[in-house]
Amino acid sequence: MTGMTETLRVAGTAATGGLVLRPWRADDVETVIEAYGDPEISRWTARPIKGAEDARCWLDIQRRGRENGTRLSFAVCAAPEAHAEQAVYADRSGRSGRSGRSGRSGRSGQSGRGDQLGSLEGLVLGNISLRWTDASGPGSAEVGYWVMTHARGQGVAPRAVEALSRWSFATFADDGLRRIELIHQVDNLASCRVAAKTGYLFERLLPAEPPYPRDGHLHVREAD
């Protein structure tokens, strides 16, 4: 069974470059180590990454999530200038990628070789993922993300969250996806701002529970 190979592209603006959201790859080890070496990323995450072995484990989790249909993780990359004007919420073939829940673990969007992506992406800026659990079922998912030090202050997180949210509601509508949750600790003010910018409304306060030491905010976006 092979995982989805969707690559999402987000148009740039007058002030910012475009984005490419592509699946994480086995050769992204050093990028993951660099990201989790940043205290502003590691403080909000439950899984510490101390070296190459931890990074490979993390990447393997992302790969297996694609294969079993429980998680879609993307490296958020800068789009080369030649592609920055494109605004595509689709796979490399330009299709919307509507393949149903089975598509998360199927062959949707496999219109090109993965090694062709190198010409369509630039520096890795961050990570974004959408995950499902047995408890939530197909109707609800959770979005999570982080942005690397060199990319902060450029609107990367809200643009990536908006793109993935729109694409996910369209792609998995037939599976019944109607709700995406965004959860963060109460002192993560940056994530609160991202939620507000992308239409995730505050729903309720979540009590602290391991491994997170503080209460959390639950924000929710419903399908149109």
Side-chain angles (χ1 to χ4, degrees):
M1 181 180 296
T2 56
M4 292 178 76
T5 59
E6 274 77 1
T7 295
L8 314 183
R9 301 185 184 94
V10 184
T13 67
T16 61
L19 302 176
V20 174
L21 280 59
R22 53 90 169 160
W24 285 97
R25 301 190 296 246
D27 61 358
D28 287 318
V29 169
E30 292 302 322
T31 298
V32 174
I33 294 173
E34 178 186 351
Y36 278 83
D38 177 7
E40 285 302 310
I41 290 177
S42 60
R43 68 181 292 204
W44 306 118
T45 56
R47 178 183 294 274
I49 292 178
K50 303 298 185 181
E53 183 176 352
D54 291 339
R56 283 192 290 268
C57 180
W58 186 89
L59 289 167
D60 191 56
I61 289 172
Q62 316 317 309
R63 178 189 59 79
R64 286 188 282 112
R66 283 181 174 272
E67 291 179 348
N68 62 31
T70 59
R71 179 190 299 260
L72 291 175
S73 295
F74 297 86
V76 181
C77 305
E81 192 169 326
H83 300 277
E85 73 281 1
Q86 299 180 41
V88 181
Y89 301 95
D91 64 8
R92 287 193 297 279
S93 66
R95 296 192 298 266
S96 65
R98 292 177 68 107
S99 57
R101 181 174 173 84
S102 63
R104 289 203 300 272
S105 58
R107 298 179 180 273
S108 170
Q110 292 184 344
S111 58
R113 291 172 53 87
D115 55 12
Q116 293 175 336
L117 281 174
S119 62
L120 301 180
E121 70 189 51
L123 185 68
V124 176
L125 308 177
N127 168 66
I128 189 165
S129 65
L130 194 74
R131 69 183 186 93
W132 290 259
T133 65
D134 290 339
S136 68
S140 179
E142 180 183 344
V143 65
Y145 54 87
W146 43 254
V147 177
M148 298 181 72
T149 303
H150 57 263
R152 291 180 192 143
Q154 302 173 34
V156 171
R159 288 189 291 146
V161 169
E162 178 64 26
L164 183 60
S165 300
R166 289 177 57 186
W167 176 83
S168 298
F169 279 131
T171 301
F172 303 115
D174 289 346
D175 302 316
L177 180 64
R178 302 297 302 168
R179 170 186 172 101
I180 301 178
E181 298 179 347
L182 189 161
I183 300 172
H184 64 83
Q185 290 190 92
V186 293
D187 52 341
N188 190 341
L189 302 182
S191 280
C192 225
R193 291 191 293 270
V194 170
K197 291 177 180 178
T198 54
Y200 281 79
L201 303 179
F202 176 75
E203 184 171 279
R204 61 189 171 94
L205 189 69
L206 300 175
E209 60 179 40
Y212 302 107
R214 297 177 178 83
D215 293 345
H217 283 180
L218 170 61
H219 299 264
V220 174
R221 178 165 166 172
E222 304 280 355
D224 295 333

